[in-house]
mmCIF file with all atom_site columns, all heavy atoms in Angstrom:
data_model
loop_
_atom_site.group_PDB
_atom_site.id
_atom_site.type_symbol
_atom_site.label_atom_id
_atom_site.label_alt_id
_atom_site.label_comp_id
_atom_site.label_asym_id
_atom_site.label_entity_id
_atom_site.label_seq_id
_atom_site.pdbx_PDB_ins_code
_atom_site.Cartn_x
_atom_site.Cartn_y
_atom_site.Cartn_z
_atom_site.occupancy
_atom_site.B_iso_or_equiv
_atom_site.pdbx_formal_charge
_atom_site.auth_seq_id
_atom_site.auth_comp_id
_atom_site.auth_asym_id
_atom_site.auth_atom_id
_atom_site.pdbx_PDB_model_num
ATOM 1   N N   . GLU V 1 118 ? -5.933 -113.963 -84.308 1.00 97.00 ? 118 GLU V N   1
ATOM 2   C CA  . GLU V 1 118 ? -6.072 -115.355 -83.787 1.00 97.00 ? 118 GLU V CA  1
ATOM 3   C C   . GLU V 1 118 ? -4.766 -116.119 -84.009 1.00 97.00 ? 118 GLU V C   1
ATOM 4   O O   . GLU V 1 118 ? -4.118 -115.952 -85.071 1.00 97.00 ? 118 GLU V O   1
ATOM 5   C CB  . GLU V 1 118 ? -7.284 -115.991 -84.433 1.00 97.00 ? 118 GLU V CB  1
ATOM 6   C CG  . GLU V 1 118 ? -7.519 -117.442 -83.933 1.00 97.00 ? 118 GLU V CG  1
ATOM 7   C CD  . GLU V 1 118 ? -8.687 -118.259 -84.590 1.00 97.00 ? 118 GLU V CD  1
ATOM 8   O OE1 . GLU V 1 118 ? -9.127 -117.642 -85.525 1.00 97.00 ? 118 GLU V OE1 1
ATOM 9   O OE2 . GLU V 1 118 ? -8.920 -119.335 -84.060 1.00 97.00 ? 118 GLU V OE2 1
ATOM 10  N N   . SER V 1 119 ? -4.361 -116.887 -83.127 1.00 95.00 ? 119 SER V N   1
ATOM 11  C CA  . SER V 1 119 ? -3.249 -117.818 -83.129 1.00 95.00 ? 119 SER V CA  1
ATOM 12  C C   . SER V 1 119 ? -3.560 -119.225 -82.881 1.00 95.00 ? 119 SER V C   1
ATOM 13  O O   . SER V 1 119 ? -4.681 -119.483 -82.268 1.00 95.00 ? 119 SER V O   1
ATOM 14  C CB  . SER V 1 119 ? -2.166 -117.390 -82.377 1.00 95.00 ? 119 SER V CB  1
ATOM 15  O OG  . SER V 1 119 ? -1.665 -116.031 -82.623 1.00 95.00 ? 119 SER V OG  1
ATOM 16  N N   . VAL V 1 120 ? -2.773 -120.184 -83.289 1.00 92.00 ? 120 VAL V N   1
ATOM 17  C CA  . VAL V 1 120 ? -3.006 -121.563 -82.901 1.00 92.00 ? 120 VAL V CA  1
ATOM 18  C C   . VAL V 1 120 ? -1.775 -122.030 -82.167 1.00 92.00 ? 120 VAL V C   1
ATOM 19  O O   . VAL V 1 120 ? -0.587 -121.797 -82.533 1.00 92.00 ? 120 VAL V O   1
ATOM 20  C CB  . VAL V 1 120 ? -3.082 -122.369 -84.274 1.00 92.00 ? 120 VAL V CB  1
ATOM 21  C CG1 . VAL V 1 120 ? -3.127 -123.852 -83.950 1.00 92.00 ? 120 VAL V CG1 1
ATOM 22  C CG2 . VAL V 1 120 ? -4.474 -122.021 -84.857 1.00 92.00 ? 120 VAL V CG2 1
ATOM 23  N N   . CYS V 1 121 ? -2.055 -122.736 -81.034 1.00 89.00 ? 121 CYS V N   1
ATOM 24  C CA  . CYS V 1 121 ? -0.949 -123.400 -80.211 1.00 89.00 ? 121 CYS V CA  1
ATOM 25  C C   . CYS V 1 121 ? -1.043 -124.930 -80.548 1.00 89.00 ? 121 CYS V C   1
ATOM 26  O O   . CYS V 1 121 ? -1.957 -125.538 -80.120 1.00 89.00 ? 121 CYS V O   1
ATOM 27  C CB  . CYS V 1 121 ? -1.187 -123.056 -78.826 1.00 89.00 ? 121 CYS V CB  1
ATOM 28  S SG  . CYS V 1 121 ? 0.195  -123.649 -77.751 1.00 89.00 ? 121 CYS V SG  1
ATOM 29  N N   . TYR V 1 122 ? -0.036 -125.370 -81.285 1.00 87.00 ? 122 TYR V N   1
ATOM 30  C CA  . TYR V 1 122 ? -0.042 -126.714 -81.827 1.00 87.00 ? 122 TYR V CA  1
ATOM 31  C C   . TYR V 1 122 ? 0.862  -127.627 -80.976 1.00 87.00 ? 122 TYR V C   1
ATOM 32  O O   . TYR V 1 122 ? 2.091  -127.315 -80.748 1.00 87.00 ? 122 TYR V O   1
ATOM 33  C CB  . TYR V 1 122 ? 0.437  -126.741 -83.254 1.00 87.00 ? 122 TYR V CB  1
ATOM 34  C CG  . TYR V 1 122 ? 0.738  -128.057 -83.934 1.00 87.00 ? 122 TYR V CG  1
ATOM 35  C CD1 . TYR V 1 122 ? -0.206 -129.050 -84.018 1.00 87.00 ? 122 TYR V CD1 1
ATOM 36  C CD2 . TYR V 1 122 ? 2.063  -128.271 -84.344 1.00 87.00 ? 122 TYR V CD2 1
ATOM 37  C CE1 . TYR V 1 122 ? 0.052  -130.238 -84.625 1.00 87.00 ? 122 TYR V CE1 1
ATOM 38  C CE2 . TYR V 1 122 ? 2.383  -129.565 -84.882 1.00 87.00 ? 122 TYR V CE2 1
ATOM 39  C CZ  . TYR V 1 122 ? 1.318  -130.601 -85.030 1.00 87.00 ? 122 TYR V CZ  1
ATOM 40  O OH  . TYR V 1 122 ? 1.669  -131.726 -85.517 1.00 87.00 ? 122 TYR V OH  1
ATOM 41  N N   . TYR V 1 145 ? -4.566 -128.985 -81.260 1.00 91.00 ? 145 TYR V N   1
ATOM 42  C CA  . TYR V 1 145 ? -4.303 -127.578 -81.098 1.00 91.00 ? 145 TYR V CA  1
ATOM 43  C C   . TYR V 1 145 ? -5.330 -126.883 -80.308 1.00 91.00 ? 145 TYR V C   1
ATOM 44  O O   . TYR V 1 145 ? -6.437 -127.393 -80.128 1.00 91.00 ? 145 TYR V O   1
ATOM 45  C CB  . TYR V 1 145 ? -4.164 -126.841 -82.483 1.00 91.00 ? 145 TYR V CB  1
ATOM 46  C CG  . TYR V 1 145 ? -5.456 -126.699 -83.150 1.00 91.00 ? 145 TYR V CG  1
ATOM 47  C CD1 . TYR V 1 145 ? -6.240 -125.538 -82.980 1.00 91.00 ? 145 TYR V CD1 1
ATOM 48  C CD2 . TYR V 1 145 ? -5.900 -127.709 -84.061 1.00 91.00 ? 145 TYR V CD2 1
ATOM 49  C CE1 . TYR V 1 145 ? -7.401 -125.410 -83.680 1.00 91.00 ? 145 TYR V CE1 1
ATOM 50  C CE2 . TYR V 1 145 ? -7.157 -127.466 -84.712 1.00 91.00 ? 145 TYR V CE2 1
ATOM 51  C CZ  . TYR V 1 145 ? -7.863 -126.376 -84.530 1.00 91.00 ? 145 TYR V CZ  1
ATOM 52  O OH  . TYR V 1 145 ? -9.068 -126.215 -85.209 1.00 91.00 ? 145 TYR V OH  1
ATOM 53  N N   . ARG V 1 166 ? 11.918 -114.232 -82.525 1.00 85.00 ? 166 ARG V N   1
ATOM 54  C CA  . ARG V 1 166 ? 12.498 -115.509 -82.540 1.00 85.00 ? 166 ARG V CA  1
ATOM 55  C C   . ARG V 1 166 ? 14.016 -115.347 -82.928 1.00 85.00 ? 166 ARG V C   1
ATOM 56  O O   . ARG V 1 166 ? 14.302 -114.550 -83.803 1.00 85.00 ? 166 ARG V O   1
ATOM 57  C CB  . ARG V 1 166 ? 11.819 -116.420 -83.492 1.00 85.00 ? 166 ARG V CB  1
ATOM 58  C CG  . ARG V 1 166 ? 10.364 -116.651 -83.256 1.00 85.00 ? 166 ARG V CG  1
ATOM 59  C CD  . ARG V 1 166 ? 9.826  -117.773 -84.180 1.00 85.00 ? 166 ARG V CD  1
ATOM 60  N NE  . ARG V 1 166 ? 9.914  -117.364 -85.488 1.00 85.00 ? 166 ARG V NE  1
ATOM 61  C CZ  . ARG V 1 166 ? 9.749  -118.185 -86.551 1.00 85.00 ? 166 ARG V CZ  1
ATOM 62  N NH1 . ARG V 1 166 ? 9.672  -119.435 -86.381 1.00 85.00 ? 166 ARG V NH1 1
ATOM 63  N NH2 . ARG V 1 166 ? 9.845  -117.716 -87.849 1.00 85.00 ? 166 ARG V NH2 1
ATOM 64  N N   . ALA V 1 206 ? 7.806  -113.291 -84.908 1.00 89.00 ? 206 ALA V N   1
ATOM 65  C CA  . ALA V 1 206 ? 7.174  -114.503 -84.565 1.00 89.00 ? 206 ALA V CA  1
ATOM 66  C C   . ALA V 1 206 ? 5.871  -114.710 -85.440 1.00 89.00 ? 206 ALA V C   1
ATOM 67  O O   . ALA V 1 206 ? 5.295  -113.741 -85.958 1.00 89.00 ? 206 ALA V O   1
ATOM 68  C CB  . ALA V 1 206 ? 6.676  -114.507 -83.111 1.00 89.00 ? 206 ALA V CB  1
ATOM 69  N N   . GLN V 1 207 ? 5.604  -115.997 -85.745 1.00 89.00 ? 207 GLN V N   1
ATOM 70  C CA  . GLN V 1 207 ? 4.450  -116.345 -86.486 1.00 89.00 ? 207 GLN V CA  1
ATOM 71  C C   . GLN V 1 207 ? 3.264  -116.700 -85.582 1.00 89.00 ? 207 GLN V C   1
ATOM 72  O O   . GLN V 1 207 ? 3.493  -116.849 -84.404 1.00 89.00 ? 207 GLN V O   1
ATOM 73  C CB  . GLN V 1 207 ? 4.786  -117.546 -87.412 1.00 89.00 ? 207 GLN V CB  1
ATOM 74  C CG  . GLN V 1 207 ? 5.932  -117.296 -88.333 1.00 89.00 ? 207 GLN V CG  1
ATOM 75  C CD  . GLN V 1 207 ? 6.336  -118.597 -89.082 1.00 89.00 ? 207 GLN V CD  1
ATOM 76  O OE1 . GLN V 1 207 ? 5.951  -119.561 -88.733 1.00 89.00 ? 207 GLN V OE1 1
ATOM 77  N NE2 . GLN V 1 207 ? 7.279  -118.385 -90.060 1.00 89.00 ? 207 GLN V NE2 1
ATOM 78  N N   . ASN V 1 208 ? 2.107  -116.758 -86.126 1.00 91.00 ? 208 ASN V N   1
ATOM 79  C CA  . ASN V 1 208 ? 0.926  -116.942 -85.243 1.00 91.00 ? 208 ASN V CA  1
ATOM 80  C C   . ASN V 1 208 ? 0.544  -118.502 -85.199 1.00 91.00 ? 208 ASN V C   1
ATOM 81  O O   . ASN V 1 208 ? -0.530 -118.757 -84.829 1.00 91.00 ? 208 ASN V O   1
ATOM 82  C CB  . ASN V 1 208 ? -0.284 -116.118 -85.669 1.00 91.00 ? 208 ASN V CB  1
ATOM 83  C CG  . ASN V 1 208 ? -0.905 -116.570 -86.966 1.00 91.00 ? 208 ASN V CG  1
ATOM 84  O OD1 . ASN V 1 208 ? -0.240 -117.069 -87.781 1.00 91.00 ? 208 ASN V OD1 1
ATOM 85  N ND2 . ASN V 1 208 ? -2.194 -116.217 -87.170 1.00 91.00 ? 208 ASN V ND2 1
ATOM 86  N N   . LEU V 1 209 ? 1.406  -119.261 -85.587 1.00 88.00 ? 209 LEU V N   1
ATOM 87  C CA  . LEU V 1 209 ? 1.378  -120.769 -85.277 1.00 88.00 ? 209 LEU V CA  1
ATOM 88  C C   . LEU V 1 209 ? 2.450  -121.048 -84.299 1.00 88.00 ? 209 LEU V C   1
ATOM 89  O O   . LEU V 1 209 ? 3.623  -120.931 -84.599 1.00 88.00 ? 209 LEU V O   1
ATOM 90  C CB  . LEU V 1 209 ? 1.567  -121.567 -86.476 1.00 88.00 ? 209 LEU V CB  1
ATOM 91  C CG  . LEU V 1 209 ? 1.768  -123.063 -86.246 1.00 88.00 ? 209 LEU V CG  1
ATOM 92  C CD1 . LEU V 1 209 ? 0.477  -123.661 -85.692 1.00 88.00 ? 209 LEU V CD1 1
ATOM 93  C CD2 . LEU V 1 209 ? 2.091  -123.782 -87.511 1.00 88.00 ? 209 LEU V CD2 1
ATOM 94  N N   . PHE V 1 210 ? 2.049  -121.341 -82.995 1.00 84.00 ? 210 PHE V N   1
ATOM 95  C CA  . PHE V 1 210 ? 3.058  -121.581 -81.982 1.00 84.00 ? 210 PHE V CA  1
ATOM 96  C C   . PHE V 1 210 ? 3.386  -123.144 -81.931 1.00 84.00 ? 210 PHE V C   1
ATOM 97  O O   . PHE V 1 210 ? 2.431  -123.921 -81.505 1.00 84.00 ? 210 PHE V O   1
ATOM 98  C CB  . PHE V 1 210 ? 2.530  -121.153 -80.615 1.00 84.00 ? 210 PHE V CB  1
ATOM 99  C CG  . PHE V 1 210 ? 2.241  -119.661 -80.595 1.00 84.00 ? 210 PHE V CG  1
ATOM 100 C CD1 . PHE V 1 210 ? 0.961  -119.204 -80.492 1.00 84.00 ? 210 PHE V CD1 1
ATOM 101 C CD2 . PHE V 1 210 ? 3.252  -118.744 -80.699 1.00 84.00 ? 210 PHE V CD2 1
ATOM 102 C CE1 . PHE V 1 210 ? 0.659  -117.778 -80.508 1.00 84.00 ? 210 PHE V CE1 1
ATOM 103 C CE2 . PHE V 1 210 ? 2.988  -117.403 -80.685 1.00 84.00 ? 210 PHE V CE2 1
ATOM 104 C CZ  . PHE V 1 210 ? 1.739  -116.940 -80.614 1.00 84.00 ? 210 PHE V CZ  1
ATOM 105 N N   . GLU V 1 211 ? 4.571  -123.523 -82.277 1.00 77.00 ? 211 GLU V N   1
ATOM 106 C CA  . GLU V 1 211 ? 4.933  -124.917 -82.171 1.00 77.00 ? 211 GLU V CA  1
ATOM 107 C C   . GLU V 1 211 ? 5.374  -125.343 -80.909 1.00 77.00 ? 211 GLU V C   1
ATOM 108 O O   . GLU V 1 211 ? 6.183  -124.684 -80.249 1.00 77.00 ? 211 GLU V O   1
ATOM 109 C CB  . GLU V 1 211 ? 6.045  -125.167 -83.214 1.00 77.00 ? 211 GLU V CB  1
ATOM 110 C CG  . GLU V 1 211 ? 5.873  -124.712 -84.635 1.00 77.00 ? 211 GLU V CG  1
ATOM 111 C CD  . GLU V 1 211 ? 7.170  -124.757 -85.384 1.00 77.00 ? 211 GLU V CD  1
ATOM 112 O OE1 . GLU V 1 211 ? 7.772  -125.810 -85.429 1.00 77.00 ? 211 GLU V OE1 1
ATOM 113 O OE2 . GLU V 1 211 ? 7.561  -123.759 -85.948 1.00 77.00 ? 211 GLU V OE2 1
ATOM 114 N N   . ILE V 1 215 ? 7.753  -128.976 -86.358 1.00 52.00 ? 215 ILE V N   1
ATOM 115 C CA  . ILE V 1 215 ? 6.832  -129.662 -87.318 1.00 52.00 ? 215 ILE V CA  1
ATOM 116 C C   . ILE V 1 215 ? 7.621  -130.495 -88.299 1.00 52.00 ? 215 ILE V C   1
ATOM 117 O O   . ILE V 1 215 ? 7.202  -131.636 -88.566 1.00 52.00 ? 215 ILE V O   1
ATOM 118 C CB  . ILE V 1 215 ? 5.920  -128.641 -88.039 1.00 52.00 ? 215 ILE V CB  1
ATOM 119 C CG1 . ILE V 1 215 ? 4.959  -127.998 -87.027 1.00 52.00 ? 215 ILE V CG1 1
ATOM 120 C CG2 . ILE V 1 215 ? 5.136  -129.329 -89.181 1.00 52.00 ? 215 ILE V CG2 1
ATOM 121 C CD1 . ILE V 1 215 ? 4.158  -126.926 -87.658 1.00 52.00 ? 215 ILE V CD1 1
ATOM 122 N N   . ASN V 1 225 ? 8.533  -119.162 -80.205 1.00 50.00 ? 225 ASN V N   1
ATOM 123 C CA  . ASN V 1 225 ? 7.323  -119.743 -80.755 1.00 50.00 ? 225 ASN V CA  1
ATOM 124 C C   . ASN V 1 225 ? 7.394  -121.331 -80.685 1.00 50.00 ? 225 ASN V C   1
ATOM 125 O O   . ASN V 1 225 ? 6.525  -121.961 -81.183 1.00 50.00 ? 225 ASN V O   1
ATOM 126 C CB  . ASN V 1 225 ? 7.078  -119.354 -82.208 1.00 50.00 ? 225 ASN V CB  1
ATOM 127 C CG  . ASN V 1 225 ? 7.908  -120.153 -83.194 1.00 50.00 ? 225 ASN V CG  1
ATOM 128 O OD1 . ASN V 1 225 ? 9.074  -120.417 -82.980 1.00 50.00 ? 225 ASN V OD1 1
ATOM 129 N ND2 . ASN V 1 225 ? 7.270  -120.623 -84.266 1.00 50.00 ? 225 ASN V ND2 1
ATOM 130 N N   . ALA V 1 226 ? 8.492  -121.910 -80.084 1.00 41.00 ? 226 ALA V N   1
ATOM 131 C CA  . ALA V 1 226 ? 8.603  -123.298 -79.947 1.00 41.00 ? 226 ALA V CA  1
ATOM 132 C C   . ALA V 1 226 ? 8.382  -123.654 -78.415 1.00 41.00 ? 226 ALA V C   1
ATOM 133 O O   . ALA V 1 226 ? 9.375  -123.592 -77.725 1.00 41.00 ? 226 ALA V O   1
ATOM 134 C CB  . ALA V 1 226 ? 9.874  -123.790 -80.520 1.00 41.00 ? 226 ALA V CB  1
ATOM 135 N N   . PHE V 1 227 ? 7.319  -124.052 -77.967 1.00 40.00 ? 227 PHE V N   1
ATOM 136 C CA  . PHE V 1 227 ? 7.017  -124.267 -76.601 1.00 40.00 ? 227 PHE V CA  1
ATOM 137 C C   . PHE V 1 227 ? 7.150  -125.711 -76.341 1.00 40.00 ? 227 PHE V C   1
ATOM 138 O O   . PHE V 1 227 ? 6.432  -126.565 -76.699 1.00 40.00 ? 227 PHE V O   1
ATOM 139 C CB  . PHE V 1 227 ? 5.556  -123.758 -76.280 1.00 40.00 ? 227 PHE V CB  1
ATOM 140 C CG  . PHE V 1 227 ? 5.333  -122.369 -76.520 1.00 40.00 ? 227 PHE V CG  1
ATOM 141 C CD1 . PHE V 1 227 ? 4.281  -121.915 -77.205 1.00 40.00 ? 227 PHE V CD1 1
ATOM 142 C CD2 . PHE V 1 227 ? 6.308  -121.329 -76.211 1.00 40.00 ? 227 PHE V CD2 1
ATOM 143 C CE1 . PHE V 1 227 ? 4.091  -120.609 -77.532 1.00 40.00 ? 227 PHE V CE1 1
ATOM 144 C CE2 . PHE V 1 227 ? 6.135  -120.003 -76.412 1.00 40.00 ? 227 PHE V CE2 1
ATOM 145 C CZ  . PHE V 1 227 ? 5.033  -119.646 -77.097 1.00 40.00 ? 227 PHE V CZ  1
#
Side-chain angles (χ1 to χ4, degrees):
E118 181 182 7
S119 299
V120 169
C121 188
Y122 168 62
Y145 72 90
R166 297 187 298 162
Q207 301 170 349
N208 69 335
L209 170 63
F210 299 114
E211 304 169 55
I215 294 177
N225 84 315
F227 302 131

